[in-house]
Amino acid sequence: MKHTISRISILVLCLIFATACKNNKEESMSIAPPVAPKHPTQLEKHGDVRIDDYYWMNNREDQQVLDYFNAENEYYQKMTAHTKEFQEKLFKEMKGRIKEDDSSVPYKLDGYWYITRYEEGKEYPIYSRKKESLDAEEELLFDCNQMAIGHEYFNLRGVSISPDNTMASFGTDTISRRQYNIQVKNLRSGEIYSDIIENTTGSAVWANDNTTLFYTKKDPVTLRSDKIFKHVLGTSSEDDELVFHEKDSIYNTFVYKTKSRKYIVIGSSSTLTSEYRILNADDAEGKFKVFSPREKGVEYGISHFEGDFYVLTNKDKATNFKLMKTDESNTSSEHWKEFIPHREDVLLEDVEIFRDYYVLTERNNGLNQMKIAKWDGSDSYYLPFDSETYVAGPSVNLDFDTKVLRYYYNEMGAPFAIIDFDMETKTKTVMKQQEVLGGKFNKDNYKTERLWATARDGKKVPISVIYHKDTPLDGTSPLLQYGYGSYGATIDPYFSSIRLSLLDRGFIYAIAHIRGGEYLGRPWYEDGKLFNKKNTFTDFVDVSKYLIDQKYTSPEHLYAMGGSAGGLLMGAVINMAPELYHGVIAGVPFVDVVTTMLDDTIPLTTGEYDEWGNPNEKEYYDYIKSYSPYDNVEAKEYPNMYVSTGLHDSQVQYWEPAKWVAKLREYKTDDNLLFLDTNMEAGHGGASGRFEALKETAKEYAFILDLEGKAL
């Protein structure tokens, strides 16, 4: 009888809790959403007039702008109050799978083993090293947890050790605008020198004299990386010498050192064209020499080995790239000789050089592969990978004089591994296997597939899919479809312990490898940019239709997700086919394409012309306007939507998603949810701490799980 009462009591408590949650949810539904003021601004180009009622939002200092964001945040908080406990549950669940006291696989450079580690309960990494032996005493380089104190956002990048191992340059960003301050730390005394170099990319390169640094500065308005400076330790950064200025606004510039350490290299790149300058690292006072002059449409990258450079390039219409070779004293393109020929069906992505071997990173039919070959031609072979849903590629390989290749590998349904492969004996050693804590994960519980959807023009679009083995494939299961599809960026089918929170609740997860990425080679990218951009959007829609037709899901349970340029994708597909999706997650979305691409004072604009087209030319203006999400909002029903942004975003300005949400509120004819959630402290990448970022994912997951009635 006692046990019966306990069960009844539990049932009553559960009923009370469920009723309270229901009442809270119903109460939240009666809250009126914010209404953004309308201040019409007339925008005219090529004789075409657009009226933008929300153009005024582009002033971050305007109190009315801040008031609007605060009102939207308050609305989101109130409307989702019933999911707060669930968000916390998701956060703890995802965090609970992560090994908190974790560390990287050490790598050796110039007699030191370098290690990155995390301590339990701390958000940021600790960088250290040990001399010669891993049993040696640890030398602390940087504790980012201490450095982050007092900052809402903190990011350290670009740690560069001087050739004599006594100094380290490093960059820090405490705003999230990707404008880093470079400083130098004396590794013997621990002193951080007071001189600060502001508004840089964060990275610097040491000349072999151990006192000279080369670094990249950004334009303070557009944030384009446009100048390379030389800094000498002990002098003021105000006296730094400008050694290169990239004046063409569609190019960015950068500086690095070859793996051989013989050359310092200045690179200039646009979407379509590359150019490099080289300087012997022993000659800090010397002048950089052009490697090979830029030719429109010719991309190349360079690696140095002994007396030669190896050039990865698309020269001579090698769409999928080839590898060429040239003597270091004759580097212009007329001297390049073919080393690895172009192949129509294989994308050559990179080359890793060692003293006795070179390793080619390739992509064949969407799948990563690595070919190992001896320089003398006596042996060559591919590493064996059997799955169709995996990611593999070179890891940290800084040592020239080694026979060991370090690479990473993971399947979509199994944790990643860092592997050391002896290229001579052809044996491998797993150096690190990702641990999934919590005691519940079993890779055998998940199924992965690679599917092929037929696009409306007949092209086959690949899809990587993962789901729990108990999830029904009868059209009733919820499915989250992710996509990006721009800049040639390939979204590989990687493993995610965080994603398990969806899979274990019955969600199917699908990555649509749409045109605009390079999953199927360089032509796959070319067919999804400029005047082919709409292929990216129609591919995503056609993948959705295929998944519905094949009973993986249904429109009542299909969700779409994308961020940045993938947020543009979200905006385009809901204008094209809103009826296919029950909910959409759009992170930092690039949605006001026409206005942004016409404003060359906005960060990144001019460098994007080769990707989207220059709307100052009428043909491009008309085409971009025909798909720009903000310009094509209509009076119709839209899916439930969660939109996020950061007030300090340097890549997609915060006002784009804000204007888009305001216009959607004005036009949409449905009662579906529409949230704008703004991080008032962060930028494009969101929160900086490793666990703080999980809270943002918890919000996204809670949004769609709540729509599915699974927020319990």
Side-chain angles (χ1 to χ4, degrees):
M1 184 67 183
K2 184 178 180 181
H3 294 298
T4 304
I5 293 172
S6 297
R7 290 193 190 99
I8 292 171
S9 299
I10 291 170
L11 287 171
V12 170
L13 287 172
C14 288
L15 181 60
I16 291 171
F17 178 74
T19 303
C21 287
K22 180 181 178 184
N23 291 339
N24 288 340
K25 188 172 182 179
E26 289 175 352
E27 182 180 337
S28 69
M29 295 306 160
S30 64
I31 301 170
V35 176
K38 294 170 66 174
H39 303 305
T41 299
Q42 180 173 302
L43 304 172
E44 183 174 357
K45 191 72 177 178
H46 306 299
D48 179 57
V49 176
R50 294 177 298 132
I51 304 298
D52 189 343
D53 291 324
Y54 306 107
Y55 188 83
W56 59 272
M57 290 187 186
N58 69 355
N59 182 1
R60 190 185 288 105
E61 307 304 320
D62 187 341
Q63 188 59 46
Q64 188 177 34
V65 173
L66 297 176
D67 289 345
Y68 172 68
F69 277 105
N70 288 327
E72 284 285 2
N73 279 350
E74 184 180 0
Y75 175 69
Y76 165 70
Q77 294 295 333
K78 288 181 177 178
M79 289 290 287
T80 58
H82 63 284
T83 69
K84 289 302 179 188
E85 289 187 14
F86 181 60
Q87 289 179 34
E88 183 64 21
K89 179 181 178 180
L90 284 173
F91 167 71
K92 289 180 178 178
E93 181 178 289
M94 293 184 287
K95 181 181 177 183
R97 298 192 193 100
I98 298 172
K99 192 173 188 294
E100 292 197 38
D101 55 341
D102 202 5
S103 64
S104 65
V105 179
Y107 66 86
K108 199 171 187 181
L109 178 65
D110 290 339
Y112 283 87
W113 289 96
Y114 287 87
I115 305 159
T116 304
R117 61 181 173 83
Y118 288 89
E119 292 183 349
E120 188 170 351
K122 295 185 178 180
E123 292 282 349
Y124 295 98
I126 297 169
Y127 297 91
S128 65
R129 67 180 183 178
K130 296 182 178 183
K131 190 169 185 178
E132 294 300 342
S133 169
L134 288 171
D135 296 324
E137 183 180 353
E138 179 184 67
E139 179 184 338
L140 179 66
L141 300 178
F142 301 99
D143 184 345
C144 294
N145 299 285
Q146 291 297 316
M147 298 170 75
I149 292 174
H151 301 291
E152 292 287 340
Y153 177 92
F154 180 82
N155 188 26
L156 178 143
R157 66 160 300 184
V159 175
S160 178
I161 308 296
S162 63
D164 65 0
N165 293 311
T166 65
M167 303 282 181
S169 66
F170 62 98
T172 56
D173 174 15
T174 57
I175 302 296
S176 191
R177 287 284 285 174
R178 301 189 184 183
Q179 292 172 284
Y180 292 82
N181 293 336
I182 290 178
Q183 291 180 272
V184 174
K185 180 176 183 178
N186 186 314
L187 299 179
R188 287 175 175 164
S189 67
E191 177 189 2
I192 295 179
Y193 297 145
S194 58
D195 195 31
I196 297 175
I197 306 171
E198 298 179 339
N199 191 33
T200 77
T201 60
S203 299
V205 176
W206 292 90
N208 289 344
D209 63 4
N210 298 294
T211 60
T212 306
L213 280 168
F214 294 88
Y215 63 90
T216 311
K217 272 225 170 194
K218 292 187 169 187
D219 182 286
V221 177
T222 67
L223 302 189
R224 182 173 71 91
S225 304
D226 64 343
K227 294 183 178 75
I228 306 296
F229 282 87
K230 179 170 67 175
H231 176 75
V232 178
L233 288 185
T235 66
S236 170
S237 60
E238 295 180 359
D239 299 326
D240 289 354
E241 178 187 345
L242 175 66
V243 296
F244 176 66
H245 182 194
E246 178 51 75
K247 296 180 180 179
D248 192 326
S249 63
I250 70 170
Y251 287 80
N252 285 286
T253 189
F254 50 92
V255 62
Y256 69 94
K257 204 173 197 177
T258 59
K259 187 175 177 179
S260 67
R261 303 184 215 170
K262 183 174 180 179
Y263 290 98
I264 294 170
V265 182
I266 292 175
S268 289
S269 68
S270 70
T271 304
L272 299 175
T273 309
S274 311
E275 183 182 66
Y276 293 88
R277 289 165 168 76
I278 58 175
L279 173 69
N280 191 306
D282 290 332
D283 185 15
E285 297 302 315
K287 300 296 182 184
F288 283 84
K289 181 190 83 170
V290 174
F291 186 88
S292 187
R294 63 189 70 179
E295 301 174 51
K296 182 71 172 177
V298 174
E299 299 172 63
Y300 70 93
I302 57 177
S303 301
H304 179 255
F305 175 59
E306 293 185 339
D308 297 306
F309 279 98
Y310 290 82
V311 185
L312 184 65
T313 181
N314 66 347
K315 187 178 181 293
D316 303 321
K317 299 182 179 179
T319 307
N320 271 331
F321 289 77
K322 59 184 176 179
L323 192 63
M324 305 186 80
K325 177 181 177 181
T326 189
D327 184 275
E328 63 184 352
S329 60
N330 294 293
T331 59
S332 58
S333 60
E334 64 265 22
H335 299 292
W336 300 355
K337 305 296 182 185
E338 193 170 88
F339 186 72
I340 303 291
H342 174 255
R343 290 159 289 176
E344 296 288 344
D345 58 344
V346 177
L347 174 66
L348 181 55
E349 293 185 315
D350 205 356
V351 59
E352 189 79 66
I353 289 175
F354 301 91
R355 189 162 303 285
D356 297 321
Y357 296 87
Y358 63 90
V359 180
L360 302 178
T361 304
E362 303 174 345
R363 191 178 292 274
N364 188 356
N365 197 32
L367 303 180
N368 300 130
Q369 53 188 30
M370 287 190 285
K371 183 180 181 181
I372 297 170
K374 270 199 163 185
W375 287 110
D376 62 12
S378 62
D379 193 17
S380 68
Y381 55 93
Y382 282 93
L383 289 177
F385 303 127
D386 298 326
S387 174
E388 279 201 326
T389 53
Y390 70 91
V391 184
S395 182
V396 180
N397 292 282
L398 299 180
D399 191 358
F400 240 161
D401 194 15
T402 179
K403 293 180 172 59
V404 176
L405 165 71
R406 177 167 291 177
Y407 70 95
Y408 60 86
Y409 176 82
N410 80 262
E411 298 178 10
M412 199 175 187
F416 79 84
I418 300 294
I419 299 167
D420 277 1
F421 182 80
D422 190 309
M423 294 180 281
E424 188 172 275
T425 63
K426 300 180 183 177
T427 57
K428 68 179 183 179
T429 303
V430 177
M431 302 299 293
K432 180 183 176 70
Q433 182 84 51
Q434 179 187 1
E435 295 182 57
V436 181
L437 304 184
K440 296 181 180 179
F441 174 72
N442 181 347
K443 67 177 184 178
D444 295 331
N445 287 335
Y446 305 93
K447 293 185 177 181
T448 62
E449 299 179 75
R450 187 164 69 150
L451 310 173
W452 297 83
T454 303
R456 60 196 66 188
D457 63 356
K459 295 287 179 69
K460 297 290 186 181
V461 182
I463 317 160
S464 296
V465 177
I466 184 171
Y467 52 90
H468 194 281
K469 66 180 182 181
D470 296 333
T471 299
L473 303 180
D474 58 3
T476 64
S477 295
L479 186 149
L480 179 58
Q481 179 181 328
Y482 179 84
Y484 187 74
S486 291
Y487 305 108
T490 299
I491 309 300
D492 280 309
Y494 61 95
F495 173 80
S496 168
S497 68
I498 296 169
R499 192 187 298 142
L500 299 175
S501 291
L502 288 181
L503 303 183
D504 291 347
R505 289 175 171 84
F507 259 81
I508 300 168
Y509 186 87
I511 301 173
H513 303 292
I514 50 184
R515 278 173 279 188
E518 282 186 349
Y519 186 82
L520 293 181
R522 184 72 174 196
W524 200 241
Y525 168 44
E526 300 289 348
D527 207 17
K529 62 184 288 194
L530 298 175
F531 288 120
N532 296 322
K533 189 65 220 172
K534 288 183 183 178
N535 288 336
T536 301
F537 316 138
T538 55
D539 279 0
F540 192 89
V541 169
D542 292 341
V543 165
S544 298
K545 291 178 178 178
Y546 172 84
L547 292 169
I548 292 168
D549 290 344
Q550 297 300 308
K551 302 296 184 183
Y552 283 86
T553 191
S554 63
E556 294 77 26
H557 300 288
L558 178 56
Y559 300 87
M561 182 179 186
S564 193
L568 162 61
L569 171 66
M570 296 298 101
V573 300
I574 64 167
N575 282 334
M576 294 170 58
E579 72 282 355
L580 292 179
Y581 308 98
H582 187 50
V584 169
I585 298 171
V588 292
F590 174 40
V591 285
D592 190 13
V593 189
V594 177
T595 306
T596 290
M597 293 304 296
L598 282 171
D599 187 350
D600 60 12
T601 68
I602 293 177
L604 306 181
T605 292
T606 55
E608 305 276 281
Y609 289 157
D610 288 336
E611 179 72 23
W612 313 101
N614 183 352
N616 290 294
E617 300 174 25
K618 189 175 187 307
E619 273 190 305
Y620 281 118
Y621 175 92
D622 291 340
Y623 187 75
I624 294 171
K625 185 184 175 186
S626 72
Y627 67 72
S628 173
Y630 183 65
D631 292 289
N632 288 279
V633 171
E634 298 175 326
K636 61 185 177 185
E637 293 189 0
Y638 283 94
N640 297 285
M641 295 180 63
Y642 172 84
V643 181
S644 63
T645 188
L647 189 64
H648 300 285
D649 197 325
S650 61
Q651 310 301 106
V652 176
Q653 303 305 305
Y654 71 88
W655 59 77
E656 293 201 37
K659 290 167 56 177
W660 184 45
V661 167
K663 191 171 182 179
L664 282 166
R665 287 208 192 286
E666 178 186 357
Y667 278 84
K668 74 190 192 81
T669 60
D670 56 81
D671 294 323
N672 290 330
L673 301 175
L674 175 58
F675 299 140
L676 174 64
D677 182 19
T678 303
N679 187 326
M680 304 297 280
E681 304 295 339
H684 198 64
S688 57
R690 59 172 175 159
F691 298 131
E692 283 300 309
L694 293 180
K695 293 179 180 178
E696 298 179 357
T697 304
K699 288 180 179 182
E700 296 170 345
Y701 283 10
F703 175 71
I704 58 177
L705 285 164
D706 187 38
L707 289 171
E708 282 294 311
K710 295 176 181 286
L712 299 172

